[in-house]
């Protein structure tokens, strides 16, 4: 089974620098759904704490020591707690959360053990919110085409289960419903706007789990397909431009 903590070890700073930050509207949406203005929040697979920081206070659960170190640096200890744990074994007490979140992380969870753990730590009527962005951001048509070519090349180079996340993002809603642990499950889209140049696009592509696994295995930019994408980005994004992101938010509500 592919392990996300091992996969991203040594890349925490690049990951933090390149990855997008979720839109603040997620907090407004989830607060409305849970009906609690100041909810107790647990962020699973919190990484460097970028999504945890959306909340006024929260517990960030992260298995990677590299990621936790950056989260400790970023998050005010008066408002946030950073703990070593996984979605499958948080180490938290039952019924401790009104909201559980997972940003860019649910595809790494084992649903057979993570979903019962999420339901266990949620209070009745609590909300599990899992959100991911669609890759790549909308920036430029040639960049978009170059990214599609890069991903096709990457899929051709990747081989074996150790280079792939264990679960497909497209099946999140189906798996949540099939678990029988949630009274209602749905998916909506939100949008976010950021900015970046060619260097950030290159680092964003490198921050993908497949790229990282191949780089650790000794593959070069040319073998991974990053060289061609970087060439397109250098030509089309020599200066900072607006990036448009789409976020898919899966909402699962426990029974009251």
């Amino acid at each position: 089974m592919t392990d996300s903590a091992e996969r991203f070890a040594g890349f925490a700073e690049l990951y933090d620098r390149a990855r997008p930050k979720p839109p603040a509207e997620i907090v407004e949406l989830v607060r409305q759904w849970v009906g609690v203005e100041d909810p107790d929040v647990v962020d699973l697979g919190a990484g460097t704490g970028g999504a945890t920081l959306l909340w006024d206070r929260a517990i960030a659960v992260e298995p990677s020591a590299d990621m936790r170190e950056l989260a400790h640096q970023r998050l005010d200890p008066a408002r946030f707690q950073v703990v070593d744990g996984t979605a499958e074994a948080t180490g938290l007490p039952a019924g401790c959360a009104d909201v559980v979140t997972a940003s860019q992380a649910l595809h790494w969870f084992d649903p057979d053990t993570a979903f019962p753990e999420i339901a266990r730590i949620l209070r009745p009527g609590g909300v599990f919110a899992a959100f991911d962005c669609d890759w790549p951001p909308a920036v430029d048509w040639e960049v978009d085409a170059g990214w599609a070519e890069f991903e096709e090349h990457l899929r051709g180079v990747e081989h074996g289960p150790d280079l792939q996340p264990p679960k497909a993002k497209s099946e999140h809603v189906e798996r949540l419903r099939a678990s029988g642990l949630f009274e209602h499950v749905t998916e909506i889209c939100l949008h976010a706007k950021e900015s970046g140049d060619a260097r950030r696009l290159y680092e964003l592509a490198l921050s993908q789990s497949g790229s990282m696994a191949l780089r650790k295995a000794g593959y070069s930019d040319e073998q991974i397909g990053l060289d061609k994408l970087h060439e397109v980005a250098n030509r089309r994004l020599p200066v900072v431009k607006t990036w448009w992101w789409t976020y898919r938010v899966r909402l699962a509500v426990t029974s009251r």
Side-chain angles (χ1 to χ4, degrees):
M1 176 68 72
T2 304
D3 181 78
S4 60
E6 180 181 348
R7 174 68 56 88
F8 293 107
F11 286 92
E13 291 188 3
L14 180 144
Y15 183 99
D16 186 66
R17 185 169 61 245
R19 290 295 184 105
K21 302 302 183 287
E25 287 80 6
I26 287 175
V27 171
E28 182 180 358
L29 167 67
V30 174
R31 279 178 176 157
Q32 182 173 325
W33 268 62
V34 76
V36 178
E37 184 59 29
D38 185 24
D40 291 320
V41 178
V42 173
D43 186 19
L44 299 179
T48 60
T52 314
L53 199 59
L54 291 173
W55 299 92
D56 295 330
R57 56 189 179 85
I59 298 173
V61 179
E62 171 55 43
S64 166
D66 290 350
M67 296 283 190
R68 285 199 311 276
E69 177 58 31
L70 286 185
H72 275 297
Q73 295 174 24
R74 162 176 282 152
L75 301 173
D76 180 356
R79 298 168 49 206
F80 301 101
Q81 181 183 357
V82 181
V83 301
D84 181 5
T86 66
E88 296 79 11
T90 64
L92 300 176
C96 66
D98 300 300
V99 172
V100 173
T101 61
S103 175
Q104 304 291 131
L106 184 55
H107 50 294
W108 293 103
F109 297 175
D110 177 359
D112 291 338
T113 50
F115 290 171
E117 177 69 352
I118 291 166
R120 185 187 70 82
I121 64 175
L122 277 171
R123 295 173 182 139
V127 172
F128 174 49
F131 40 95
D132 304 277
C133 57
D134 286 351
W135 294 64
V139 183
D140 171 272
W141 76 267
E142 280 197 63
V143 170
D144 194 73
W147 188 284
E149 182 179 348
F150 157 69
E151 287 202 325
E152 182 177 1
H153 179 87
L154 191 64
R155 285 192 296 270
V157 177
E158 289 179 327
H159 49 82
D162 289 339
L163 293 182
Q164 297 282 352
K167 302 299 176 185
K169 295 179 182 180
S170 61
E171 299 171 3
H172 286 341
V173 169
E174 179 182 341
R175 280 192 289 267
L176 285 164
R177 286 175 177 159
S179 73
L181 295 167
F182 302 98
E183 183 172 344
H184 182 72
V185 178
T186 193
E187 177 182 312
I188 71 166
C189 289
L190 298 176
H191 295 89
K193 184 169 70 171
E194 291 190 330
S195 60
D197 57 7
R199 182 63 187 178
R200 187 183 178 193
L201 191 87
Y202 167 79
E203 291 187 341
L204 183 72
L206 182 58
S207 80
Q208 290 200 126
S209 64
S211 298
M212 289 183 178
L214 292 170
R215 176 60 61 83
K216 285 186 175 183
Y219 284 67
S220 66
D221 279 5
E222 291 76 15
Q223 291 172 306
I224 297 172
L226 284 166
D227 60 327
K228 291 184 178 180
L229 178 62
H230 202 194
E231 186 278 324
V232 172
N234 281 332
R235 181 162 43 82
R236 300 294 293 187
L237 296 177
V239 297
V240 171
K241 290 186 178 181
T242 300
W243 291 15
W244 306 88
W245 288 100
T246 296
Y247 273 81
R248 299 185 185 276
V249 186
R250 292 87 177 184
L251 297 165
V253 184
T254 58
S255 299
R256 293 186 180 277

